[in-house]
Amino acid sequence: MSRHHHRRSTCRLCGGTHLTMVLGLAPTPPANAFVPAADLDKPQERFPLDLFFCHDCAHVQLLDVVDPRVLFENYVYVSGTSPVFVRHFQAYADDVIARFRVPAGSLVVDVGSNDGTLLSCFAKAGMRVQGIDPARDIAADATARGIPTIADFFTPALAAQIRTAKGAAKVVTANNVFAHVDDLTGVVDGIRAVLDDDGVFVFEVSYLVDVFEKTLFDTIYHEHLAYHSVQPLIRFLAANGMELIEALRVDSHGGSLRGVAQLQGGPHPVGQSVADAVALERRLGLDKAETFLDFARDIDERKRQLGDLLRGLKACGKRIAGFGAPAKATTLLYHFDLGPDIIDFIIDDSPLKQGLFTPGMHIPVLPGSAIAEKKPDYLVVLAWNFAQPIMEKNAGFREAGGKFIVPLPQVEVV
Ligand SMILES: [Zn+2]
């Protein structure tokens, strides 16, 4: 136990104490803690990465909580840099406005608003907007670009201030925040404090169904404390004065759940999507610990396959690099034990990451031009959920004789 981390003893959603560890991943530093060259000699603390199942409500979660200041202060992920996310957010805003007939001029509050991409889509549709994000630089940038953003953590007190200053919100959104925050009750208290009586709270989280079905185990890292499914959320929201009215599957982050909730007694009917999601989760056995123990065995089998392949290639003198340095690559590299002895460098298209080194293992992150300069024989697609577009965009690498290795959901050499 360090001063930057604690392990809770109760379920984050129901407060229950009957928790079983179902998947023990290799301990890692914070997945986004990329390191500049000047800091390479500073040790990086690693934290346990163990997944637990709650026998009382079936919520799947990490109990080890790393201090959010350690996790988020130097966050390098900026959503607006990716055109895929911009399109996703435009469709998201349009859908919410149409589905709930949100009148122009309504206040939309985004909790964890990042660079303001989602809010700019709402603003384009004539809404008033307010962002909240603890990353100071990103919040200041967003404000400078016309999306007012408070650089702070979302609390009931801050929610009350916003309501006093700007009125009640017709829409509150929170994307991934619901997976990121340890004190979810506090978040919901804040949402109730700012939400109008007929308003909706819309949240996106990576969906446990997708994590399970598509082997997205590398989306498990310390920022993601909770791996949500619908059944435990219904109970949690009801215990906190809210009602889940939609549970929609969307394809962001390899498969996510877009939940919509209203204040208890609100005007919207509960959609069929909620019952459908619960039925699907039961069919997959997500309400049983054994399901996740099997999942853990599957992941270890993938680890063995990929490790055998890469160590074999390395033994033949092949040069191997990685493609894509998303946060989840940290979990994959650590759990699959792929260090700088195997991966020489990693290509990433984000200028924010180029020139930095991966968390803990310190593999250098380079721009795409390094492929032609260093001519690796193999590129392991670490951002494997984007394997297809990455391989298309870098077709020249294959034409020059290079091969891609897609590590998941099945190990594939292309
Ligand atoms: Zn629980």
Side-chain angles (χ1 to χ4, degrees):
M1 238 28 66
S2 83
R3 67 196 169 86
H4 295 130
H5 136 259
H6 70 274
R7 175 172 279 193
R8 56 181 297 146
S9 57
T10 58
C11 171
R12 186 167 287 110
L13 288 190
C14 77
T17 53
H18 302 102
L19 296 150
T20 298
M21 186 175 111
V22 287
L23 172 60
L25 295 169
T28 72
N32 256 309
F34 287 80
V35 183
D39 291 345
L40 284 176
D41 55 342
K42 288 188 193 152
Q44 273 182 290
E45 194 173 353
R46 287 188 290 154
F47 302 99
L49 194 54
D50 299 329
L51 197 67
F52 286 82
F53 175 84
C54 172
H55 291 278
D56 295 318
C57 79
H59 179 47
V60 172
Q61 60 201 299
L62 303 184
L63 296 179
D64 292 282
V65 180
V66 180
D67 185 338
R69 281 168 300 198
V70 175
L71 288 182
F72 294 111
E73 241 164 42
N74 299 302
Y75 207 63
V76 283
Y77 174 77
V78 180
S79 59
T81 52
S82 157
V84 177
F85 282 112
V86 177
R87 278 200 300 277
H88 166 76
F89 280 140
Q90 189 63 58
Y92 182 143
D94 294 346
D95 179 67
V96 170
I97 291 168
R99 194 184 285 267
F100 299 104
R101 296 192 179 84
V102 183
S106 298
L107 178 64
V108 179
V109 174
D110 190 21
V111 180
S113 52
N114 204 289
D115 65 347
T117 305
L118 175 60
L119 285 179
S120 66
C121 299
F122 277 107
K124 244 185 265 170
M127 304 298 159
R128 292 180 298 126
V129 299
Q130 176 65 59
I132 301 147
D133 198 288
R136 287 178 301 247
D137 293 351
I138 291 173
D141 271 6
T143 303
R145 280 182 293 98
I147 305 298
T149 304
I150 300 169
D152 208 343
F153 291 99
F154 182 66
T155 60
L158 183 61
Q161 276 173 34
I162 292 170
R163 188 176 192 136
T164 304
K166 298 199 165 178
K170 290 287 183 201
V171 179
V172 177
T173 52
N175 300 305
N176 299 306
V177 174
F178 235 42
H180 283 161
V181 175
D182 184 33
D183 176 19
L184 285 182
T185 308
V187 173
V188 175
D189 288 347
I191 287 156
R192 281 200 322 274
V194 73
L195 195 62
D196 211 343
D197 291 345
D198 60 352
V200 288
F201 166 51
V202 189
F203 59 95
E204 263 189 31
V205 285
S206 62
Y207 190 22
L208 185 61
V209 165
D210 293 287
V211 173
F212 175 74
E213 286 193 314
K214 301 176 193 164
T215 327
L216 304 174
F217 87 92
D218 51 351
T219 60
I220 300 170
Y221 47 87
H222 297 105
E223 288 166 22
H224 296 159
L225 293 164
Y227 300 83
H228 287 292
S229 53
V230 171
Q231 197 164 14
L233 276 172
I234 293 172
R235 175 173 160 180
F236 165 73
L237 288 165
N240 287 281
M242 298 196 73
E243 180 181 34
L244 190 72
I245 54 173
E246 294 290 351
L248 310 164
R249 294 184 74 176
V250 292
D251 54 14
S252 42
H253 296 286
S256 295
L257 171 71
R258 183 180 300 163
V260 185
Q262 65 182 351
L263 297 176
Q264 233 149 37
H268 305 288
V270 176
Q272 179 62 30
S273 62
V274 176
D276 289 350
V278 171
L280 171 65
E281 291 166 12
R282 290 228 177 98
R283 215 157 52 233
L284 293 172
L286 300 189
D287 51 352
K288 295 187 186 70
E290 293 72 36
T291 306
F292 299 97
L293 294 168
D294 288 344
F295 181 64
R297 278 188 283 273
D298 268 8
I299 291 162
D300 284 342
E301 178 57 20
R302 308 286 203 292
K303 170 183 178 166
R304 195 190 55 73
Q305 287 172 4
L306 184 67
D308 287 355
L309 171 67
L310 295 181
R311 272 179 272 278
L313 292 171
K314 206 69 190 172
C316 301
K318 301 296 185 192
R319 281 159 308 161
I320 304 171
F323 200 106
K328 66 199 190 112
T330 301
T331 298
L332 193 148
L333 293 170
Y334 268 92
H335 193 64
F336 283 3
D337 198 16
L338 308 175
D341 54 325
I342 294 184
I343 311 263
D344 298 339
F345 59 93
I346 296 175
I347 301 295
D348 197 278
D349 290 334
S350 165
L352 291 169
K353 286 187 178 167
Q354 293 162 5
L356 300 178
F357 295 79
T358 63
M361 288 180 164
H362 295 170
I363 301 172
V365 181
L366 303 175
S369 57
I371 299 177
E373 285 157 25
K374 297 181 181 280
K375 300 191 172 51
D377 300 300
Y378 290 85
L379 281 176
V380 182
V381 185
L382 298 170
W384 59 274
N385 50 323
F386 296 116
Q388 212 49 46
I390 286 171
M391 291 192 290
E392 281 163 20
K393 200 175 155 199
N394 295 278
F397 169 69
R398 221 155 58 179
E399 283 152 17
K403 290 196 169 87
F404 288 101
I405 296 173
V406 183
L408 289 163
Q410 303 292 341
V411 179
E412 255 184 285
V413 182
V414 184

